[in-house]
Amino acid sequence: MKLLKVLTVIVLVSAVAIAAAGYWLFTNQPSLARFEARGLGTTTDGTSSRVRVSWLGNTNVLVTDGETAILTDGWFTRPSDLEILFGHIGPDLGAIDRALERADIEQLAAVIPVHSHFDHAMDAPEVAERTGAMLVGSESTANIGRGWGLADESIRVATPGQAMSFGDFQVTLFESRHFEFPNPLLRRGVSSRTEITEPLQPPVRMTEYAEGGSYSVLITHPDASVLIQGSAGYLPGALEGIDVDAVFLSVGGIGGQTERYQSNYWAYIVNATTPEKLFPVHWDSFTHPLGERPQAPNLFWDQVFGLQADASIQWAFDRAAEDPLLQAGLLPLWQPVSIP
Ligand SMILES: [Zn+2]
């Protein structure tokens, strides 16, 4: 009888401790305040380039020359922690409205998910529909479009390495690799399903948004060229001989990888493309609504899941500091900057 009482107390105390730890993880974020002074290129004055680029959170990058506009991902929904982990997720039409208005987007030529995970491709068909854009990406991305009811003529499955023209822009998707989570359980979870083979109709479990191939997106224009690296993975040699003005480099998770992986990532993406400017992206929260300023992920995603925003951003700045010709900085949300 006494033993039963002791056991009951132990179980209750453990349950309370686990609940308290969980609450703490989900309601606290690391402070990234020390990076705030590292803004870069927030001016559009004094340049003859027509190309303007705005960062809209995660790996949403809007590139425009005033005539033609192209957007990677177009992911503006921010599901809750519980929805992502245990529920079903789908596009938040209100969040998409607000973001398009905030970014002053009316017409787009193309919406290009960097891969088909939910935090990249989930909203893309709706954004394409509202802006008259072509949805461009993998067969898996095409199936997200079909499931949403997007017309076939608005969907284009890209051939890696083959340039597509949109106004004065040329867009090429190069095959790349997704970030490799150091934790084997997570790695298996993320890559358990690789393709979306049927039209996908949300709301669905997060895992239904299979990767479908990861890309480096090269956008060139007579005035400027940019590379958007959608995930912190690399394919050796894939970008050899490509020279760009700016790289938008996904850093989420890179701070927790081995030195060898980090060096390869830098060599095969940044050294290979010799940019003058580097903007770390994909380090911000995917559960906090998109607001005025970017938010750090909460401690669950940052430490348990392993995004490690602080270490990852610091890594990019440290590597960039070794190259005197390379400027690195965080972009403000929503504000256009000139490239080059
Ligand atoms: Zn992903």
Side-chain angles (χ1 to χ4, degrees):
M1 213 37 208
K2 203 174 171 192
L3 181 68
L4 190 66
K5 268 188 190 163
V6 170
L7 278 176
T8 310
V9 169
I10 289 174
V11 167
L12 281 176
V13 168
S14 309
V16 169
I18 289 169
Y23 180 79
W24 183 77
L25 284 172
F26 283 113
T27 53
N28 283 280
Q29 300 158 269
S31 167
L32 302 177
R34 67 197 172 92
F35 294 119
E36 273 178 21
R38 298 292 305 256
L40 177 69
T42 53
T43 172
T44 54
D45 301 336
T47 166
S48 59
S49 174
R50 285 166 294 165
V51 176
R52 302 274 189 275
V53 177
S54 317
W55 178 56
L56 312 180
N58 209 53
T59 44
N60 297 316
V61 179
L62 173 67
V63 185
T64 175
D65 65 357
E67 296 277 317
T68 307
I70 292 163
L71 175 66
T72 51
D73 287 2
W75 182 62
F76 304 118
T77 297
R78 293 293 179 270
S80 70
D81 303 299
L82 289 178
E83 281 169 338
I84 293 176
L85 292 170
F86 306 111
H88 289 72
I89 54 175
D92 175 343
L93 303 183
I96 294 171
D97 267 341
R98 289 189 292 278
L100 293 179
E101 202 185 317
R102 184 79 201 253
D104 210 10
I105 295 173
E106 283 178 4
Q107 264 197 338
L108 292 170
V111 179
I112 310 169
V114 294
H115 58 271
S116 298
H117 282 155
F118 78 93
D119 57 323
H120 299 277
M122 188 166 84
D123 298 346
E126 176 64 17
V127 172
E129 192 155 280
R130 289 190 193 199
T131 59
M134 188 70 78
L135 175 67
V136 178
S138 65
E139 185 61 34
S140 293
T141 288
N143 272 323
I144 296 174
R146 292 175 191 124
W148 193 248
L150 195 63
D152 273 343
E153 53 269 28
S154 299
I155 299 174
R156 179 159 176 184
V157 176
T159 306
Q162 215 170 81
M164 296 165 276
S165 293
F166 297 98
D168 286 342
F169 289 102
Q170 298 264 72
V171 177
T172 313
L173 274 55
F174 289 92
E175 248 180 85
S176 190
R177 292 274 181 272
H178 195 269
F179 176 64
E180 232 177 71
F181 285 94
N183 177 331
L185 262 178
L186 258 181
R187 193 160 62 232
R188 231 173 298 142
V190 168
S191 56
S192 60
R193 208 183 277 249
T194 56
E195 305 285 341
I196 303 168
T197 53
E198 300 285 332
L200 186 69
Q201 283 184 302
V204 292
R205 294 296 309 269
M206 169 261 271
T207 45
E208 298 287 317
Y209 286 95
E211 180 201 329
S214 288
Y215 301 111
S216 311
V217 181
L218 173 69
I219 303 178
T220 62
H221 183 277
D223 289 359
S225 57
V226 300
L227 182 85
I228 297 127
Q229 179 63 25
S231 189
Y234 57 87
L235 187 61
L239 301 172
E240 214 50 65
I242 289 166
D243 181 34
V244 297
D245 296 310
V247 168
F248 291 77
L249 188 71
S250 277
V251 296
I254 192 77
Q257 256 293 359
T258 61
E259 260 182 60
R260 185 187 156 80
Y261 184 101
Q262 292 174 340
S263 293
N264 281 339
Y265 185 47
W266 191 265
Y268 291 124
I269 308 297
V270 184
N271 289 345
T273 57
T274 61
E276 285 89 57
K277 284 185 178 168
L278 180 116
F279 304 107
V281 294
H282 207 346
W283 53 265
D284 53 316
S285 172
F286 46 68
T287 55
H288 290 83
L290 266 179
E292 189 76 25
R293 292 140 62 89
Q295 296 273 329
N298 67 41
L299 290 179
F300 174 81
W301 297 107
D302 200 65
Q303 294 300 312
V304 181
F305 189 74
L307 295 180
Q308 303 210 17
D310 187 294
S312 298
I313 296 170
Q314 188 62 54
W315 170 80
F317 284 154
D318 288 347
R319 291 309 302 251
E322 292 166 13
D323 181 348
L325 298 177
L326 180 61
Q327 283 183 291
L330 294 186
L331 284 168
L333 272 176
W334 313 111
Q335 292 176 33
V337 302
S338 287
I339 305 287

